[in-house]
Amino acid sequence: MSARLDHVPRDWCAVESDRIAALLERRGQVAGPVVFGAGFGPSGLPHVGTVSEVVRTSFVRRAFEEATGRSTRLVVVADDMDALRKVPDTVPDRAALTPHLGMPLHRVPDPWGVAPSLAEGMVDRLRRVLDVMEVDCEVVRSSDLYRSGRHDSAIRAFLADFAEVNALVGASVGALRRRSYSIVMPVSPHTGRVVEHTRVLDVDPHRGTITYEIPRDVVIQRPGLDHGLEPHEYYAGEPIGEPVTVSALGGGGKFQWKADWALRLLSGDIAYEMHGQDLADSARVVRQVFERLRREPPVLFEYGLFVDERGRKISKTVGNGFALDDAIGCLTREGLRMLLYRKPRRPRRFDLASVLRADDAVRHEARLAGDPRRGAGARLRLRRIGATAPPGGPRFGTLVRVLAACAPVDHAAAVAFVERVFPPGRRPEPDLVARAWRFHLHARPAPRSAVLDTTATTVLRRLADALASAPHADPGVLLHKALDGHPDAYRPLYLALLGRPHGPRLATWLRITGTRRSLALVRDALSRAVPPSDRSEGGSP
């Protein structure tokens, strides 16, 4: 294999590696580990956008290590100091979290009652996904960085030029918001809330303190409300219009998120980080902050957003789009990594169809890689995603179509159908069958109601009686006896048992489903069937 594989055309990881090397040369950073960063807002369930940011950064990290031989770190910071501004739609008992609005996420209880806090539960979920994806990284909490003093030196740099930096960042928000905007949000000594609406009266960079007041004349807009709130309504228990002096160091304050992003990059000496297209303007503000502080900003890579089937951005608080846990259950690790590797700047739908294509894309690349003269690009892509062995057996798409045609009722039936369709030498791995079964559960259409005429009802009752009286008999043979003289009953039987007008041979389907399960399904079909008299005839009543 060529030693110059990193320069295969269209390998975006190699391009990013070169950009990082150029940055380090400008910074004069010739020793020590190079730090790659990523951020995570733990206010809602991690989604594919969150994971893509970390996994894609890990691709670039490995490319950089291969090209330079330098040591690296990948640090993922969970912003658990952020305030709970809106109760996510994806949590149970949402009303129980409403009293905690405005509190730092690490002090909001876990609605599932498992983790110490809402933030910690979301961090645990992200950590499990990254472990499945085999991403080597450090996950740290923003609250630990603030309270330990790790940010203090950078905070003093911001305070030393507070007026200019505050005006610079504040220019990116609306005129109404600027009336009560400060890059430093104090953690209230009275209620423990993150105070977002302040007027800073004084800054002491030497002591690291700010003096602020919550203005009396500000109107506060909150997500989900179609009207503004008065300060005394939103900040109950806080002194309104009175000066308060607090330390901005050691966790006494938390930066507004654009300034917080710049603070985290500066304090962590980050060389490379990614962000979505929706944060392009915020990334521009971050670069301006670095320029104002006379520091060299890190390399920031803008990636395309993941959208749902309706083209809407996938959101962790709304929970739209294909759930990440479900995707991981259907996709192989290599399939998901290939999905994230390809064309990262392009917006991408994340739905069932994309899952189907992603798993087979790895097989396609493995086939291309077998060409010794023209397969260098494919071999590089497989190495980037960590694919160690070419997949065997049938394609994932073929396996999914087999299950769709056979309509198995459970995983055991799915395995039995697969074993009937594929000879021993071509059978897929059990893990792939399990993933195809989970995909089938998501993709199969809702069953259609069956309208049973007298003949179909008679056949089903005969079959039920036969299955109940002869539990050890061949269900296929019992079916033929029940159908005796009524060959036209097949279509309503398919609708009654499978929820569709066609499918595999019913005798085979009953044998694989088993007598006990078949009897339960027949009885259920009889209980759910729509009598002909209830059938809508259309037209005017």
Side-chain angles (χ1 to χ4, degrees), residues 290-311:
F290 269 79
E291 181 180 349
R292 177 68 202 179
L293 298 178
R294 296 178 177 82
R295 305 294 180 90
E296 183 74 34
V299 175
L300 299 179
F301 179 91
E302 180 181 314
Y303 60 83
L305 299 179
F306 285 88
V307 298
D308 63 14
E309 66 280 358
R310 295 170 56 186

Side-chain angles (χ1 to χ4, degrees), residues 202-477:
D202 184 55
V203 175
D204 188 333
H206 178 70
R207 297 174 57 200
T209 61
I210 65 167
T211 300
Y212 72 94
E213 66 174 3
I214 302 174
R216 298 179 184 274
D217 58 351
V218 68
V219 177
I220 299 172
Q221 303 288 343
R222 302 310 303 160
L225 294 180
D226 56 3
H227 61 279
L229 297 175
E230 296 290 331
H232 68 273
E233 295 177 293
Y234 188 69
Y235 288 112
E238 300 286 349
I240 308 299
E242 300 178 15
V244 180
T245 300
V246 296
S247 174
L249 309 176
K254 195 266 183 198
F255 274 36
Q256 291 275 4
W257 87 266
K258 293 175 187 177
D260 182 82
W261 188 8
L263 174 72
R264 177 171 60 79
L265 295 174
L266 179 61
S267 175
D269 198 23
I270 305 298
Y272 186 83
E273 186 158 312
M274 294 188 173
H275 65 84
Q277 288 175 328
D278 55 332
L279 300 183
D281 287 342
S282 300
R284 176 181 52 80
V285 172
V286 167
R287 292 187 182 95
Q288 290 174 342
V289 170
F290 269 79
E291 181 180 349
R292 177 68 202 179
L293 298 178
R294 296 178 177 82
R295 305 294 180 90
E296 183 74 34
V299 175
L300 299 179
F301 179 91
E302 180 181 314
Y303 60 83
L305 299 179
F306 285 88
V307 298
D308 63 14
E309 66 280 358
R310 295 170 56 186
R312 302 172 301 174
K313 172 192 170 185
I314 291 178
S315 165
K316 63 176 177 289
T317 56
V318 176
N320 59 316
F322 195 35
L324 185 59
D325 285 345
D326 292 336
I328 290 175
C330 298
L331 272 164
T332 62
R333 182 186 72 92
E334 292 80 5
L336 183 52
R337 287 170 73 93
M338 181 62 79
L339 177 70
L340 300 181
Y341 175 80
R342 286 181 154 182
K343 298 181 174 64
R345 292 191 183 274
R346 177 182 297 179
R348 188 178 295 276
R349 283 178 60 176
F350 192 67
D351 54 11
L352 278 172
S354 64
V355 166
L356 192 62
R357 292 190 297 268
D359 266 334
D360 283 338
V362 180
R363 180 182 300 275
H364 174 71
E365 294 288 2
R367 187 168 60 252
L368 291 178
D371 187 327
R373 292 185 302 168
R374 300 166 54 187
R379 290 192 291 271
L380 173 64
R381 289 186 286 274
L382 291 172
R383 194 172 87 242
R384 288 279 185 255
I385 69 169
T388 57
R395 295 169 60 245
F396 186 75
T398 301
L399 202 54
V400 166
R401 285 191 291 273
V402 166
L403 297 187
C406 295
V409 295
D410 55 22
H411 176 251
V415 172
F417 276 116
V418 167
E419 290 178 348
R420 285 182 66 88
V421 172
F422 298 101
R426 291 195 63 244
R427 284 176 187 166
E429 293 292 328
D431 177 70
L432 194 63
V433 178
R435 293 181 186 279
W437 164 247
R438 288 190 287 267
F439 182 95
H440 174 73
L441 291 177
H442 291 289
R444 64 183 177 183
R448 293 163 54 181
S449 298
V451 178
L452 296 183
D453 57 17
T454 303
T455 298
T457 302
T458 299
V459 170
L460 275 177
R461 285 175 177 161
R462 284 183 185 175
L463 181 58
D465 292 342
L467 291 169
S469 60
H472 301 296
D474 183 341
V477 173

